[in-house]
Amino acid sequence: LRHARIDEGYCVICGSYGNLSKDHVPPRCTTTIQPMFQKTVSEHFSSEEIRPINAHAGATFKTICKNCNGNIIGSLDNEIKKPIDDFIGLIRKYLSGVHVYGNVLSVSVNAKPFLRAMVGHLLAATSVELCKDEPIKSEFYTPLRRFVLGDNVNIEDTHEFYYWFYPNRTQITAQLTSFFNDGQLCHCSCMHFFPIAFLITLKDEATYPAHASKI
């Protein structure tokens, strides 16, 4: 519960100090908002019995300012909604018996706005503890924050993005997890919600599922 109770702090995207607003992760335009039990990954795997947050309106994180939430990420959410809606429509047709050539479903996506919105929601999905201090410069996070704000148009110089079909109802958000890959530590950020799994890695340091596709 201590990760959900805060009113003011530093926005984890733009770094400004002030009132913080709740952001839905995944974005509310892509899922049906309904009650759910919410735990951190460490709480989920803990040997102790930890009471989860009863999230009445889906998973929310109060870590970004109203401007970043409404005017920046919110203005881009339709760039996520349209391809997701199109994808679900194709899945329904496939399940109803419509033939799909090569078993591949394809939808159009406006890549840069789509990525800015997805990255923005992932940055918001963190502990309020980070809102107590100004954001620090980071090889992983700083280019992503600037990309969401529209100040970094060459995000492909530092990061790579992957996606794959995710046919499950359980929503998983991991803002930062790490794996050893070819002798080096690979940092990843991911968001899973039906029907897509989305992954961010640093450029040329990627470890990802064999069935993933690169954006």
Side-chain angles (χ1 to χ4, degrees):
L1 287 173
R2 73 176 184 273
H3 295 291
R5 291 172 176 166
I6 192 172
D7 291 319
E8 294 184 345
Y10 291 95
C11 173
V12 297
I13 294 179
C14 71
S16 64
Y17 186 89
N19 292 328
L20 299 172
S21 64
K22 291 182 179 180
D23 182 48
H24 284 83
V25 182
R28 63 187 306 165
C29 64
T30 62
T31 61
T32 301
I33 300 300
Q34 56 190 352
M36 64 173 62
F37 290 115
Q38 184 176 343
K39 278 188 177 183
T40 66
V41 174
S42 57
E43 287 173 347
H44 178 76
F45 289 106
S46 173
S47 59
E48 300 178 22
E49 184 62 32
I50 298 176
R51 184 180 178 182
I53 292 177
N54 187 357
H56 297 286
T60 59
F61 296 85
K62 202 172 184 180
T63 56
I64 59 177
C65 67
K66 291 183 179 179
N67 181 58
C68 285
N69 194 359
N71 297 330
I72 297 179
I73 302 176
S75 67
L76 299 170
D77 273 350
N78 194 55
E79 301 294 345
I80 302 177
K81 175 178 171 56
K82 187 179 186 308
I84 293 297
D85 286 349
D86 291 346
F87 189 22
I88 291 175
L90 291 176
I91 292 171
R92 286 174 175 160
K93 287 183 179 180
Y94 175 77
L95 294 176
S96 70
V98 175
H99 176 70
V100 177
Y101 179 76
N103 263 7
V104 175
L105 301 177
S106 298
V107 298
S108 297
V109 59
N110 194 354
K112 284 280 175 80
F114 173 85
L115 290 174
R116 285 180 62 201
M118 292 289 280
V119 172
H121 288 295
L122 254 176
L123 291 176
T126 189
S127 167
V128 298
E129 293 298 310
L130 293 183
C131 298
K132 295 179 180 179
D133 299 295
E134 290 186 69
I136 60 175
K137 288 187 177 181
S138 158
E139 179 187 18
F140 190 85
Y141 286 115
T142 300
L144 292 174
R145 289 199 298 262
R146 293 183 59 239
F147 176 59
V148 173
L149 293 170
D151 298 331
N152 177 14
V153 296
N154 299 314
I155 192 65
E156 64 272 15
D157 291 345
T158 57
H159 290 73
E160 295 178 349
F161 305 92
Y162 297 86
Y163 68 97
W164 59 95
F165 178 47
Y166 181 70
N168 303 309
R169 291 185 179 275
T170 301
Q171 297 175 2
I172 303 171
T173 303
Q175 203 208 66
L176 188 64
T177 186
S178 301
F179 301 90
F180 277 107
N181 179 44
D182 291 334
Q184 63 184 358
L185 194 62
C186 175
H187 300 300
C188 304
S189 186
C190 64
M191 178 163 52
H192 298 51
F193 61 94
F194 179 79
I196 186 174
F198 177 73
L199 177 73
I200 306 172
T201 69
L202 286 170
K203 186 176 182 178
D204 299 328
E205 295 183 12
T207 181
Y208 49 86
H211 53 271
S213 298
K214 184 178 179 181
I215 302 179

